[in-house]
Amino acid sequence: MLEEKMAQLEQKIGYCFQNRLFLRQALTHSSFANEQKINKFENYERLEFLGDAVLELISSDYIFQENPDMPEGKMTKYRSSVVCEPALAYCAREISLEKYILLGKGEEATGGRNRDSIISDVMEAVIGAIYLDSGIEQAKCFIHRFILSDLEHKQLFYDAKTILQEEVQKENRGKLHYELVREEGPEHDKVFVVEAWVDDVKAGSGTGHSKKAAEQKAAYEALVASGFSGAGNEKGFNQL
């Protein structure tokens, strides 16, 4: 079963490991490793440490090369937004990485599979595993394909709440606020439904496994619905 799941993930990311032990370790949470009494697995923490360093190097190089006039302070801020925990979790979910994580029963029961902190850590661990398995070039290919691609769209999602607040204030549209509409599901795996309002006008709605994530999606929906796509967009924020 585990071999089959790893093969599925390899197909999804377009990379086949020479040594699948690296991939298995990258997918193994400490809670699962601690439950193995006889054939104990190593967990992903050391690979995460390595993957974090590789990701910082590759993303720094990309930002440096693609933005020749950007000052150091802005490059640092840009890199932080690209490789922060919510951003990595977003990228990981695009390849359904959370489905392949090996979790202990307790961690599974408390919703660990949907936790950004775990999903983003595993994303970094996979980078570390690819680096150990084949070197920097294959790790670079993975990062460019699954993290540094379509950054304009991703940036809008990552910064949706901040951008929406700024646009509402700039256009003097009124007061932006978020309302929790309802909560669904069991306590350990709740889904929150949130709406973004500008005064008495509903601007967008979103769902997530935390109120913060639901607010982020509601803000993103509001921006997309208004036709906003970032700097230089002629539509601006006029449709709200």
Side-chain angles (χ1 to χ4, degrees):
M1 183 64 177
L2 177 56
E3 289 295 320
E4 185 179 324
K5 288 182 70 175
M6 289 194 293
Q8 289 175 357
L9 181 57
E10 286 178 330
Q11 187 173 14
K12 188 165 287 190
I13 66 176
Y15 177 80
C16 291
F17 280 81
Q18 301 171 65
N19 184 351
R20 272 196 182 163
L21 288 176
F22 291 136
L23 178 57
R24 187 176 75 175
Q25 183 180 348
L27 298 173
T28 303
H29 188 264
S30 58
S31 62
F32 183 88
N34 291 337
E35 286 182 1
Q36 306 309 302
K37 304 300 183 183
I38 301 173
N39 186 23
K40 191 170 184 179
F41 287 4
E42 287 189 74
N43 66 53
Y44 62 62
E45 292 171 4
R46 283 174 55 82
L47 285 177
E48 176 208 341
F49 169 82
L50 182 60
D52 176 67
V54 174
L55 176 58
E56 183 167 325
L57 172 61
I58 299 302
S59 59
S60 297
D61 177 69
Y62 176 84
I63 292 168
F64 181 86
Q65 300 294 344
E66 293 293 316
N67 302 277
D69 299 320
M70 187 179 286
E72 182 270 340
K74 284 191 175 181
M75 286 196 296
T76 300
K77 185 177 179 181
Y78 188 23
R79 183 185 64 199
S80 296
S81 69
V82 168
V83 302
C84 68
E85 182 181 292
L88 289 179
Y90 176 91
C91 294
R93 287 190 177 98
E94 288 195 316
I95 56 174
S96 303
L97 186 60
E98 72 279 5
K99 295 180 180 179
Y100 302 94
I101 302 173
L102 301 173
L103 289 173
K105 293 177 182 177
E107 192 66 47
E108 185 79 72
T110 55
R113 193 169 300 279
N114 296 311
R115 200 166 293 136
D116 279 4
S117 57
I118 291 177
I119 299 170
S120 62
D121 286 351
V122 173
M123 191 68 163
E124 289 181 327
V126 169
I127 293 169
I130 293 172
Y131 173 77
L132 284 182
D133 193 59
S134 292
I136 194 71
E137 284 305 315
Q138 288 295 333
K140 181 178 179 180
C141 287
F142 177 87
I143 292 167
H144 275 254
R145 181 179 176 187
F146 296 110
I147 297 175
L148 299 178
S149 62
D150 196 18
L151 276 184
E152 185 176 340
H153 169 81
K154 289 175 180 174
Q155 202 68 30
L156 183 62
F157 178 81
Y158 302 155
D159 299 332
K161 284 184 70 176
T162 301
I163 294 171
L164 182 59
Q165 182 67 55
E166 291 174 349
E167 289 300 310
V168 169
Q169 290 176 344
K170 186 167 66 177
E171 299 288 341
N172 294 316
R173 295 289 181 179
K175 184 179 179 182
L176 171 65
H177 64 283
Y178 297 90
E179 293 184 5
L180 176 63
V181 178
R182 63 184 182 276
E183 301 176 16
E184 303 170 344
E187 193 65 36
H188 70 273
D189 193 25
K190 274 195 175 180
V191 173
F192 298 87
V193 182
V194 169
E195 294 176 345
W197 290 75
V198 180
D199 283 345
D200 58 351
V201 177
K202 187 174 85 168
S205 62
T207 61
H209 287 283
S210 69
K211 291 178 185 177
K212 184 177 179 181
E215 289 174 358
Q216 190 81 357
K217 289 181 181 177
Y220 176 71
E221 184 183 280
L223 289 168
V224 171
S226 71
F228 183 87
S229 63
N233 178 29
E234 293 180 1
K235 290 183 180 179
F237 199 66
N238 296 323
Q239 294 184 18
L240 180 63

